Amino acid sequence: MSLLGWRAASRLRPLASHSWSVCRKLSKSYVTLSSSVTSQNFASRDVLFLAPCSFLQCQNRYYAKGKDKKGKNKQTKVHVTEEEMSELVNVTKMNNQFSQLVEDLKQEYIKNLSLRTAAGSLEALPVVLEGDEYPLNEVAQIFRKSPQVVVINAAAFPQALPSIAKAIRESGMNLNPQQEGTSIIVPIPKVTKEHRENLAKSAKTLCNRCKDHLKDAQNQFIRKVKNKEGIVSEDLNHNVQLKIREIADGYVKEAEGLMIAKQKELLQTSK
């Protein structure tokens, strides 16, 4: 081996066992011999060649930076005046409809979700009779037999018994009516932890129903706006649709706030 070849080999061979940090440095460059060196009749066995990364099994790894999740669900507020919206939709009517749905939820909570179910809670319960809807107290007599039992006498309209039982089961009051002749017996559950939890679940069910109605109303007004394309600019039409969603979302949050408050009341928690 020539002197130059021996020196080159002795300097480069120890690098093969160097630490990872050295490998990372080496991975950024190539160690080669130029044609001028090979022309000096050095045998290939006398010189150690380093391939880019592969010889020392070095790798440069690049990791994707994590996305900023702070603004993931952040929605941009739509700037549309009420006057601009009025060109495409009846804003007052829309707000009144949204507001009424939330108010209906509030009234259902007051009437149907209390720890002590009173006979008065059943009086306004809607019952279908011969295709029309009537309050329960117009088709049957309601009285409390004992603190734990309410009796509904439907002798005047016995054909309404199935509808009465169905309305009570679907009222969200966690009641299980039982028919006896022309009467319906409604046992009132005791105020247990399980009863409280069932009422809290009913509060969520009623809230979800309200949110579905709000979604339906929202889509109804959006369809009306879409049908008026060409009356105003495309941008304004699109922004009005976004504004309708934004307004509906505000009422959805209000309904969720009522649900959370009602659940805390029923479960008697202060969290």
Side-chain angles (χ1 to χ4, degrees):
M1 180 185 294
S2 64
L3 179 60
L4 180 57
W6 179 84
R7 287 180 177 176
S10 62
R11 289 178 182 178
L12 294 175
R13 284 194 182 97
L15 294 177
S17 60
H18 253 234
S19 64
W20 174 254
S21 61
V22 176
C23 293
R24 287 180 61 85
K25 293 178 182 179
L26 288 175
S27 66
K28 297 178 182 177
S29 62
Y30 298 91
V31 180
T32 61
L33 289 179
S34 66
S35 58
S36 62
V37 175
T38 57
S39 64
Q40 297 180 24
N41 298 321
F42 289 108
S44 59
R45 61 183 175 81
D46 295 331
V47 182
L48 176 66
F49 289 90
L50 292 182
C53 291
S54 60
F55 180 81
L56 297 179
Q57 299 298 317
C58 299
Q59 282 187 325
N60 275 334
R61 297 186 180 182
Y62 299 93
Y63 297 94
K65 293 183 178 180
K67 295 181 180 179
D68 184 7
K69 298 181 180 180
K70 292 182 179 179
K72 183 178 179 181
N73 298 321
K74 190 175 181 180
Q75 295 181 349
T76 304
K77 192 171 184 179
V78 184
H79 297 286
V80 180
T81 65
E82 186 172 332
E83 184 178 353
E84 289 174 325
M85 289 189 67
S86 298
E87 298 181 40
L88 298 174
V89 67
N90 189 328
V91 181
T92 302
K93 180 181 178 181
M94 179 183 70
N95 280 310
N96 287 343
Q97 188 168 338
F98 289 160
S99 179
Q100 186 59 50
L101 290 170
V102 176
E103 181 62 27
D104 290 344
L105 174 65
K106 187 185 297 184
Q107 293 304 316
E108 283 193 88
Y109 281 171
I110 294 173
K111 292 179 181 178
N112 301 331
L113 292 183
S114 60
L115 294 175
R116 293 288 184 183
T117 304
S121 302
L122 299 171
E123 290 180 354
L125 203 63
V127 175
V128 177
L129 176 62
E130 297 178 354
D132 293 324
E133 198 172 84
Y134 302 91
L136 178 56
N137 61 355
E138 290 187 11
V139 298
Q141 295 178 332
I142 306 170
F143 61 92
R144 187 179 285 276
K145 184 176 180 180
S146 69
Q148 298 297 326
V149 178
V150 172
V151 178
I152 300 172
N153 185 355
F157 299 98
Q159 66 272 32
L161 284 167
S163 296
I164 294 172
K166 181 180 178 181
I168 294 172
R169 288 193 188 96
E170 297 178 355
S171 65
M173 289 186 277
N174 191 36
L175 299 175
N176 184 27
Q178 302 168 5
Q179 183 176 342
E180 291 185 5
T182 58
S183 297
I184 291 179
I185 310 301
V186 185
I188 307 301
K190 293 182 179 180
V191 184
T192 61
K193 180 181 178 181
E194 183 181 2
H195 180 51
R196 291 176 186 274
E197 291 174 350
N198 286 333
L199 289 177
K201 289 179 182 178
S202 296
K204 184 175 182 179
T205 300
L206 293 173
C207 179
N208 287 340
R209 188 187 304 172
C210 174
K211 288 161 67 175
D212 288 341
H213 291 329
L214 285 168
K215 185 73 173 179
D216 292 340
Q218 167 198 292
N219 293 337
Q220 176 188 353
F221 285 105
I222 287 177
R223 282 194 296 269
K224 289 181 180 179
V225 172
K226 287 182 177 179
N227 291 335
K228 294 181 180 180
E229 291 180 353
I231 296 179
V232 297
S233 69
E234 185 178 343
D235 287 342
L236 179 57
N237 189 292
H238 178 67
N239 286 337
V240 169
Q241 294 177 43
L242 294 178
K243 190 66 176 180
I244 291 173
R245 289 191 177 92
E246 182 182 294
I247 293 172
D249 286 344
Y251 285 98
V252 167
K253 289 180 181 178
E254 185 178 349
E256 290 175 341
L258 290 173
M259 178 196 70
I260 292 171
K262 190 64 181 180
Q263 288 181 326
K264 285 183 178 180
E265 173 193 328
L266 293 169
L267 298 173
Q268 291 185 348
T269 61
S270 56
K271 295 182 181 179

